[in-house]
Amino acid sequence: MMERLTGAERQIALMICVVMATVGLVMAAAGRGDPMGSHGAIVLIAAGITTFFVLRAIGEPEPAEDRTVNYYDDPTKAGLVIALFWAVVGMGMGVWVAAQLAWPDLRFDAAWSSFGRIRPVHTSGVIFGFGGNALIATSYHVMQRTSRARLAGHVSPWFVLLGFNLFCIVAASGYLMGVTQSKEYAEPEWYADIWLVIVWVVYFVLYIRTLARRNEPHIYVANWYYMAFILVVAILHIVNNLAVPASLTGAKSYSAFAGVQDAMTQWWYGHNAVAFFLTAGFLGMLYYFLPKRAERPIYSYRLSILSFWGIVFFYIWAGSHHLHYTALPQWVQTLGMTFSVMLLVPSWASAGNALMTLNGAWHKVRDDATLRFMMVAAVFYGLSTFEGSFMAVRAVNSLSHYTDWTVGHVHAGAMGWVALITFGSIYSVVPLLWKRETMYSWKLVEWHFWLALAGTVIYVFAMWNSGIIQGLMWRTYTDSGTLAYSFTDTLVAMHPYYVARACGGALFLTGAILAAYNVYMTIRHAPEKHPERDYPTSSEAAEPAVPAAE
């Protein structure tokens, strides 16, 4: 893939690798005896591997392709493959975490395998490793096709993709070593946070530059959602991770916030990470891949724009519903609750818009498992957003908070919405990118769909039952005013549901493994003979004629 870079671009890539190797060496030397030193070694190894591939291509002749008439899909291809790798790793860790809660002996009596260390490996592996790589890869694909313009640069897409994965590796290895800020979805320490800011700024500039050179005057709505994802996540990440390192030669840092202000900042970040990372970005996927697959226009383009602005405005205020019955001022809690309920309107507008788009194409949903992935994802998106608004109401929250009901709600969104729309998008785009007629095996796609759906339903229903029973047991009192059940009693009552959760997660993981195998075999399969039909990138913007034989 490096052979497609020009000589000047290879020189720039080599310079970046040298700088990264230097940074890694300094971190390794300065952080001896500290986890920071181990992370420096990881950075140094990553820089060395990348340097090897750049040097292999450094003397190759200049690429002969005409860049004005082709898209640059190499980073997209790599991003999709890496996303599937993280899916298997992250979901595998999730099954292990779930199994530990049912059978605690699976901890192996090792510090690195404790629940507190492998649980963030699962969450970060799925959210950032799987979801993040899928978002980056599909955003590259979508912005080129909807803009009819090639990516604005050939080094920066690789820098963003590889740099983001370096962040994921540093984060995951840090968790196993016990390195954490103890902030949900924001556990990595200060040097990893700084690196992610650099990567994210380059990503934002790349997206803006590509849109600026578009040959299509209109900016399609999917790009609005991707841009909201990129811009707001940057703001959230920077503010929530403001910290003072205890030492420049160590991993430990202290948050710039304290007490209730720290809690409010964290859940402003945490809930909006769900909003703009796990909602806005994946709505960008939905608004592009679902109409393309169904071969139907969006039911209401105006509704998609209204939904966008509703989500952007309402979501940003909703984070305080995580802090009901705490030291947070009552009016702030009520504000978060109110905006959470209002969120139901733009959220259901998007879910309804997606389902109405399928009018006249339900026979395709019946026959096409890829489109079925997207349809069920839209249904789960609607269900999850209704449940979230319902759980934000203070009276409901008094029962649901701190229970497994919240876990069920999160996974209804993560498995039923995020993962299903991602797998549907991957199945839709992989044959196009690798110039294949279809996926290697549509039977495997069917199997994956039913495994994923069964796993999600089992998981979510187990946690709904578990959470409601937990909440009711915790608030049951005897006639004398003492608690009717001990904490151990609640654990005994939860055990069957924890076993069911592990089984549901195992089904979902099996589906992800089938997806990875299917994509691998599709890539290996011989390409189709007829030329690729794709939108051109030239300024004339006329679609190529389809050969008469086809």
Side-chain angles (χ1 to χ4, degrees):
M1 292 182 178
M2 293 297 171
E3 290 79 5
R4 298 187 66 185
L5 302 181
T6 65
E9 289 166 345
R10 294 169 198 165
Q11 295 289 342
I12 294 172
L14 185 60
M15 289 173 57
I16 294 173
C17 291
V18 170
V19 171
M20 287 303 302
T22 304
V23 171
L25 185 62
V26 170
M27 289 176 62
R32 283 177 299 175
D34 186 89
M36 180 179 175
S38 300
H39 282 153
I42 290 173
V43 173
L44 185 59
I45 292 170
I49 294 172
T50 310
T51 301
F52 170 76
F53 285 104
V54 173
L55 287 175
R56 277 207 323 173
I58 203 77
E60 295 293 324
E62 293 284 320
E65 69 171 329
D66 183 357
R67 291 185 172 182
T68 65
V69 296
N70 290 301
Y71 295 124
Y72 189 43
D73 288 328
D74 289 352
T76 303
K77 295 177 179 180
L80 294 175
V81 172
I82 294 171
L84 287 171
F85 167 79
W86 278 108
V88 174
V89 172
M91 294 174 194
M93 297 299 286
V95 172
W96 185 12
V97 170
Q100 276 194 2
L101 292 174
W103 304 285
D105 290 342
L106 291 176
R107 180 179 174 274
F108 304 132
D109 198 29
W112 65 268
S113 67
S114 64
F115 178 89
R117 295 196 183 185
I118 66 172
R119 188 260 179 181
V121 177
H122 159 59
T123 55
S124 293
V126 172
I127 295 171
F128 299 115
F130 173 50
N133 278 290
L135 285 170
I136 291 171
T138 57
S139 71
Y140 288 171
H141 177 82
V142 171
M143 70 173 160
Q144 290 186 93
R145 269 66 182 182
T146 57
S147 300
R148 295 209 305 270
R150 192 179 173 101
L151 283 173
H154 289 70
V155 177
S156 53
W158 286 109
F159 177 80
V160 172
L161 182 66
L162 299 179
F164 180 75
N165 279 280
L166 177 59
F167 165 80
C168 292
I169 292 170
V170 168
S173 60
Y175 304 150
L176 297 177
M177 291 187 286
V179 177
T180 175
Q181 290 188 105
S182 300
K183 290 187 172 189
E184 185 75 343
Y185 314 133
E187 290 93 345
E189 276 290 0
W190 60 275
Y191 47 85
D193 292 333
I194 292 173
W195 172 244
L196 184 59
V197 170
I198 296 171
V199 170
W200 219 250
V201 169
V202 174
Y203 187 19
F204 177 75
V205 172
L206 171 65
Y207 212 101
I208 291 293
R209 287 183 61 213
T210 302
L211 290 179
R213 64 192 295 186
R214 68 188 184 277
N215 293 304
E216 172 61 49
H218 178 72
I219 299 177
Y220 182 62
V221 66
N223 290 303
W224 293 42
Y225 282 100
Y226 278 119
M227 278 302 303
F229 144 66
I230 298 168
L231 180 59
V232 180
V233 164
I235 297 170
L236 297 170
H237 174 77
I238 291 170
V239 174
N240 188 54
N241 288 290
L242 291 173
V244 179
S247 168
L248 293 178
T249 61
K252 182 63 180 172
S253 66
Y254 295 93
S255 174
F257 308 100
V260 72
Q261 287 80 17
D262 187 39
M264 183 65 253
T265 305
Q266 160 58 28
W267 283 111
W268 168 77
Y269 163 87
H271 194 74
N272 285 298
V274 172
F276 291 94
F277 201 102
L278 297 177
T279 300
F282 291 94
L283 283 172
M285 275 192 209
L286 179 76
Y287 274 115
Y288 179 80
F289 288 105
L290 185 141
K292 287 281 288 184
R293 190 72 184 183
E295 298 180 318
R296 305 281 298 176
I298 282 289
Y299 172 72
S300 172
Y301 196 80
R302 180 176 296 178
L303 188 59
S304 70
I305 300 299
L306 291 174
S307 174
F308 170 81
W309 288 112
I311 287 172
V312 168
F313 180 70
F314 291 158
Y315 246 125
I316 209 76
W317 300 94
S320 58
H321 73 229
H322 286 264
L323 297 169
H324 283 317
Y325 303 102
T326 67
L328 195 71
Q330 184 85 352
W331 71 268
V332 181
Q333 299 177 33
T334 303
L335 183 73
M337 177 182 70
T338 304
F339 274 92
S340 299
V341 173
M342 294 164 64
L343 258 174
L344 191 59
V345 176
S347 298
W348 272 28
S350 281
N353 207 4
L355 294 175
M356 293 297 287
T357 299
L358 296 173
N359 273 350
W362 288 106
H363 61 287
K364 294 183 179 180
V365 176
R366 180 194 62 209
D367 299 333
D368 184 0
T370 297
L371 191 56
R372 215 177 308 132
F373 267 103
M374 301 180 193
M375 182 275 291
V376 174
V379 171
F380 268 101
Y381 175 63
L383 292 173
S384 299
T385 51
F386 171 78
E387 184 185 21
S389 296
F390 181 64
M391 293 172 70
V393 175
R394 189 179 283 111
V396 180
N397 198 264
S398 67
L399 173 66
S400 69
H401 205 43
Y402 306 118
T403 73
D404 290 328
W405 187 353
T406 302
V407 179
H409 165 61
V410 168
H411 284 79
M415 298 164 74
W417 157 236
V418 170
L420 293 192
I421 189 61
T422 302
F423 284 126
S425 300
I426 289 173
Y427 286 135
S428 178
V429 77
V430 161
L432 171 67
L433 292 177
W434 274 276
K435 300 181 177 64
R436 306 302 192 256
E437 190 69 41
T438 63
M439 291 296 298
Y440 168 72
S441 171
W442 284 112
K443 288 185 178 180
L444 288 179
V445 179
E446 282 282 352
W447 271 99
H448 181 195
F449 172 78
W450 291 110
L451 284 168
L453 182 58
T456 301
V457 170
I458 292 171
Y459 190 113
V460 171
F461 271 87
M463 291 299 95
W464 282 346
N465 282 278
S466 170
I468 293 172
I469 292 172
Q470 266 182 329
L472 292 174
M473 291 180 74
W474 290 349
R475 65 198 297 177
T476 302
Y477 296 88
T478 64
D479 292 337
S480 61
T482 60
L483 289 173
Y485 302 100
S486 68
F487 184 71
T488 305
D489 291 334
T490 66
L491 289 180
V492 173
M494 295 308 103
H495 188 261
Y497 300 107
Y498 286 179
V499 173
R501 167 172 59 181
C503 293
L507 290 176
F508 204 90
L509 170 63
T510 303
I513 293 172
L514 290 183
Y517 172 77
N518 204 0
V519 169
Y520 170 72
M521 294 303 293
T522 302
I523 295 170
R524 287 192 58 190
H525 195 254
E528 62 187 44
K529 295 181 179 179
H530 63 72
E532 177 186 7
R533 296 185 215 165
D534 211 346
Y535 294 99
T537 58
S538 63
S539 58
E540 289 77 11
E543 293 192 27
V546 179
E550 296 181 16

